[in-house]
Amino acid sequence: MTAETPPLAGVIGWPVAHSLSPKLHGHWLKRYNLRGYYVPLGIRPQDFESSIRSLPKLGFRGVNLTIPYKETILSMADAVSDRASLIGAANTITFREDGSISADNTDGYGFLENLRQNAPGWDVRNGPALVLGAGGASRAVVSSLLNAGVPEIRLANRTRQRSEILRDQFGAKISVIDWNRASDAAEDTNLIVNTTSLGMSGKPDLQFSLANAPEGALVTDVVYTPLETQILADARARGNPTVDGLGMLLFQGIPGFESWFGYRPEVDETVRQIVLSG
């Protein structure tokens, strides 16, 4: 790649039209007056590996990955970060000069940075966290909370076995809660997180009561469509601090953008409004 070639990056998925990442990265490129392009790439599963291998030759510095490729990439990568390995998925890859692939997972980083920005004064170390769900998003959240010093994680999932797998993997700070007892487990918590798709537009509602939660417990949701899910609306109505899920998406994009375009962007209200705009 010559110095005159503008750097390329993008997001790969199947489908990929739903992704907000092109709007986010495109705004950052324009805002900071940087050369480069970020494009959506809809790639069929049977073409995924050959397409990834060809990208460095086309001038790509790296890409984000969405469904269904976050796990698939790990077996192809030449280097996998500790957090991506632990989570079992990668959402960000960077191509080295020789075309080799470095894989990372920035979802947990995005999750914590979102809380730090939008709940100033809140400290993950001040009490237990209740995490609803045991899928890929949960793995990223659990990993980031443990790294940040959470004293205890109560993990509830509709299929108990999946929670037990995470407990066995992540260790003694995790206690498994039956799904029908999740609301009871909110007692004395410092943080309540919904990592399931329940409550998302087009999905069933999340059946969860905050009646046992302390008034100071921070409530957050990785879902951002709608921006205020029912659990966030319930929390706000009873006076709990809340953080919506959009910031997680925005912050997780920072490490990749910096790696590909050489500039560390910021997340502020302007970025939020640009991404939310139709």
Side-chain angles (χ1 to χ4, degrees), residues 130 132 181-186 192 206-211 213 231 234:
L130 172 60
L132 307 176
R181 300 297 303 275
S183 297
D184 297 336
I192 298 171
L206 172 66
Q207 302 297 329
F208 181 82
S209 171
L210 290 165
I231 190 174
D234 292 345

Side-chain angles (χ1 to χ4, degrees), residues 20 23-24 27-28 31 114 117-118 223-224 226-228 232 242-251 266-278:
L20 296 176
K23 188 177 289 188
L24 171 64
H27 167 72
W28 278 338
R31 175 176 180 175
N114 185 34
Q117 181 185 69
N118 294 292
V223 170
Y224 54 85
L227 199 58
E228 183 174 77
L232 294 184
T242 64
V243 176
D244 65 55
L246 181 61
M248 178 176 174
L249 169 74
L250 304 180
F251 277 104
E266 294 182 359
V267 172
D268 55 19
E269 187 58 30
T270 300
V271 174
R272 282 178 59 89
Q273 295 307 316
I274 288 290
V275 171
L276 287 172
S277 64

Side-chain angles (χ1 to χ4, degrees), residues 117-133:
Q117 181 185 69
N118 294 292
W122 177 83
D123 192 328
V124 67
R125 299 168 294 183
N126 284 347
L130 172 60
V131 177
L132 307 176

Side-chain angles (χ1 to χ4, degrees), residues 127-130 149-154 173-175 188:
L130 172 60
V150 69
E152 177 192 356
I153 295 177
R154 300 167 188 171
K173 285 188 176 183
I174 296 180
S175 56
D188 75 14

Side-chain angles (χ1 to χ4, degrees), residues 154-188:
R154 300 167 188 171
L155 187 61
N157 190 64
R158 285 167 288 181
T159 305
R160 181 182 172 92
Q161 184 180 15
R162 295 191 71 179
S163 296
E164 292 173 342
I165 291 172
L166 262 67
R167 178 192 61 196
D168 293 343
Q169 181 178 3
F170 286 100
K173 285 188 176 183
I174 296 180
S175 56
V176 174
I177 307 295
D178 287 333
W179 185 249
N180 61 3
R181 300 297 303 275
S183 297
D184 297 336
E187 186 176 2
D188 75 14

